[in-house]
């Protein structure tokens, strides 16, 4: 985690120039709709600076559930890893999604006011691939723009700078495959939410290393969080099954390390999954999986954070649902209040890690 904490220290000291510190948060439906991540982002930006919601998929209707951005799309067809019939990993972007054109394309974004630090942004960046070339037009706030791009087989980015709380892109000429738009500042901290409902994480290994390296160049990340596991367990999960799953996730982690060689990687253990029959209120396989995830992270020489532990340990999900209504009755999914509860604990863990890093560096420099 040293790279991440060093960059965070640079942000704190206002020494990081020209770009924000970026965190990519990969997960399943536990963070869908920006639950948990929106509160963690707000806490990080309030403490370290930065503004903007970060990554928004180019045409995913799940954005309608978000409190951090209002968006509408037209003329795009979604292809995603969980819908294998129409998905080709070779065509996908970093979010395991891509959007092909089906008529006149328009992407419109309007900030909400639920979170102060995502109520505006300083630059809009649209990521796409266009072998034949394309001309984009639209508005960044009140400022109109027209941006022509030559054909390329590589990922390209259209950028419009200016403080704004609304933006739109449309295609006026050519065709392209679109990935997403980043609404962000050029300083502070940005957290991109890459949620994928029903995912167990293994499909990340299918993304071409060449594509990920292009994103690493165009959109460098300082920390990648990988939080999966709930969709890999059942009441009847056995140790051999979970070990086989972790072997697959080790392949994912190694793939990310090769694709983002300078980036810190953090394996976030599976969150609590409640059980009505277990004595402590937690599905036994979750505790077993969390231990295996920690061991895998150690073997891969990456960071580990126990979400189960950060939440409060076994029985937490059942307790916060039954006593506070902070999640669903299936004891799997948190709601907005549950997300804030977890985010506050994750933020404390990051602050503790940062403080430990700063103290260690002071001792090393004495």
């Amino acid at each position: 985690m040293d790279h991440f904490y060093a960059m965070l220290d640079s942000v704190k000291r206002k020494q990081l120039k020209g770009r924000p510190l970026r965190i990519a948060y990969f997960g399943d439906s536990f963070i869908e709709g920006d639950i948990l991540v929106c509160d963690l982002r707000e806490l990080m930006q309030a403490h370290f600076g930065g503004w903007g919601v970060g990554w928004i998929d180019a045409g995913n209707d799940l954005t309608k559930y978000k409190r951090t951005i209002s968006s509408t799309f037209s003329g795009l067809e979604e292809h995603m890893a969980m819908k294998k019939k129409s998905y080709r990993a070779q065509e996908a972007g970093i979010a395991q999604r891509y959007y092909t054109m089906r008529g006149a394309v328009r992407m419109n974004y309007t900030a909400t006011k639920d979170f102060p630090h995502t109520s505006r942004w300083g630059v809009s960046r649209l990521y796409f691939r266009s072998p034949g070339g394309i001309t984009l037009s639209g508005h960044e706030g009140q400022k109109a723009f027209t941006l022509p791009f030559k054909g390329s087989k590589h990922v390209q980015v259209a950028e419009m700078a200016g403080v704004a709380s609304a933006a739109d892109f449309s295609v006026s000429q050519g065709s392209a495959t679109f990935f997403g738009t980043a609404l962000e500042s050029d300083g502070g901290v940005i957290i991109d939410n890459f949620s994928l409902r029903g995912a167990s994480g293994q499909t990340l290994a299918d993304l071409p290393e060449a594509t990920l390296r292009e994103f690493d160049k165009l959109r460098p990340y300082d920390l990648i969080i990988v939080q999966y596991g709930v969709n890999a367990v059942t009441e009847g999960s056995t140790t051999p099954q979970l070990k086989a799953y972790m072997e697959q996730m080790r392949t994912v982690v190694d793939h990310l390390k090769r694709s983002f060689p300078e980036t810190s990687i953090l394996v976030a253990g599976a969150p609590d999954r409640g059980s009505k029959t277990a004595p402590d209120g937690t599905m036994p396989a979750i505790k077993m999986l969390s231990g295996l995830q920690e061991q895998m992270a150690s073997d891969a020489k990456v960071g580990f954070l126990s979400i189960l532990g950060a939440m409060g340990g076994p029985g937490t999900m059942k307790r916060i649902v039954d006593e506070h209504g902070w999640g669903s009755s299936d004891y799997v999914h948190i709601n907005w209040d549950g997300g804030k509860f977890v985010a506050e604990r994750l933020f404390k863990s990051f602050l503790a890690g940062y403080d430990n890093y700063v103290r260690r560096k002071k001792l090393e420099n004495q």
Side-chain angles (χ1 to χ4, degrees):
M1 295 288 286
D2 272 12
H3 169 78
F4 168 65
Y5 286 128
M7 296 297 284
L8 198 60
D9 194 46
S10 294
V11 170
K12 186 71 172 178
R13 296 170 180 272
K14 301 187 184 304
Q15 295 175 342
L16 182 61
K17 305 295 183 181
R19 74 168 181 89
L21 179 152
R22 293 193 183 96
I23 301 172
Y25 201 131
F26 289 94
D28 50 32
S29 58
F30 198 77
I31 61 170
E32 188 174 87
D34 228 16
I35 286 177
L36 189 162
V37 177
C38 64
D39 290 288
L40 180 60
R41 183 189 298 113
E42 182 67 22
L43 289 166
M44 293 291 283
Q45 291 178 336
H47 193 84
F48 293 100
W51 26 291
V53 69
W55 184 273
I56 301 294
D57 290 316
N60 192 315
D61 63 1
L62 289 176
T63 54
K64 67 186 178 184
Y65 302 117
K66 291 187 176 181
R67 295 170 58 193
T68 40
I69 195 75
S70 174
S71 54
T72 58
F73 309 96
S74 60
L76 293 169
E77 180 179 349
E78 182 181 56
H79 308 269
M80 59 181 292
M82 300 307 292
K83 296 180 180 178
K84 297 181 180 179
K85 188 175 181 180
S86 68
Y87 176 78
R88 295 182 67 250
Q90 295 295 320
E91 301 295 325
I94 190 172
Q96 300 186 87
R97 292 181 169 94
Y98 60 99
Y99 300 83
T100 51
M101 295 176 60
R102 292 293 183 269
V105 171
R106 185 167 185 180
M107 294 161 272
N108 180 273
Y109 310 93
T110 304
T112 67
K113 297 182 179 181
D114 286 12
F115 297 88
H117 289 85
T118 54
S119 63
R120 62 188 175 113
W121 54 82
V123 58
S124 302
R125 295 182 169 99
L126 174 64
Y127 295 82
F128 63 95
R129 185 184 290 119
S130 178
I134 193 172
T135 299
L136 298 168
S137 59
H139 295 81
E140 168 79 358
Q142 299 299 315
K143 182 168 56 177
F145 62 84
T146 300
L147 302 172
F149 288 84
K150 295 180 179 180
S152 174
K153 64 180 181 179
H154 301 292
V155 178
Q156 297 187 71
V157 56
E159 182 175 307
M160 276 300 300
V163 177
S165 57
D168 68 82
F169 289 88
S170 60
V171 178
S172 57
Q173 184 178 350
S175 64
T177 297
F178 296 95
F179 303 121
T181 302
L183 309 172
E184 57 190 349
S185 56
D186 269 339
V189 176
I190 298 297
I191 305 182
D192 290 347
N193 184 334
F194 296 131
S195 65
L196 196 62
R197 181 188 298 185
S200 296
Q202 302 101 313
T203 53
L204 280 171
D206 298 329
L207 292 175
E209 184 174 329
T211 298
L212 294 179
R213 283 185 174 273
E214 288 182 13
F215 273 96
D216 185 35
K217 181 179 179 180
L218 294 171
R219 187 168 183 76
Y221 289 97
D222 301 292
L223 175 65
I224 293 176
I225 302 173
V226 182
Q227 182 188 312
Y228 295 101
V230 168
N231 293 308
V233 301
T234 66
E235 290 282 5
S237 292
T238 65
T239 300
Q241 289 172 337
L242 295 180
K243 286 184 175 180
Y245 168 64
M246 291 316 303
E247 288 177 3
Q248 294 173 319
M249 290 307 297
R250 173 62 189 270
T251 300
V252 169
V253 169
D254 289 342
H255 183 54
L256 292 174
K257 288 176 68 176
R258 289 192 303 271
S259 302
F260 299 90
E262 302 300 322
T263 304
S264 294
I265 309 290
L266 177 67
V267 174
D272 190 21
R273 181 168 181 172
S275 170
K276 296 180 180 180
T277 59
D280 61 4
T282 290
M283 187 179 291
I286 287 292
K287 292 175 286 184
M288 188 189 313
L289 177 61
S290 184
L292 292 172
Q293 289 174 318
E294 183 173 10
Q295 184 61 56
M296 184 273 284
S298 176
D299 293 342
K301 295 181 172 55
V302 299
F304 176 75
L305 173 62
S306 171
I307 302 296
L308 174 63
M311 290 178 69
T316 301
M317 180 65 80
K318 193 171 184 299
R319 185 181 72 252
I320 66 174
V321 171
D322 292 347
E323 297 180 7
H324 303 287
W326 291 348
S328 60
S329 58
D330 62 4
Y331 298 132
V332 176
H333 299 97
I334 51 176
N335 57 22
W336 295 109
D337 291 327
K340 183 177 181 181
F341 168 81
V342 178
E344 288 172 346
R345 281 146 184 81
L346 298 189
F347 178 64
K348 289 179 181 178
S349 293
F350 283 121
L351 282 187
Y354 170 67
D355 290 341
N356 287 337
Y357 170 83
V358 172
R359 284 195 294 269
R360 175 164 60 85
K361 286 300 178 182
K362 285 183 179 179
L363 289 173
E364 291 174 354
N365 293 329
Q366 287 179 354

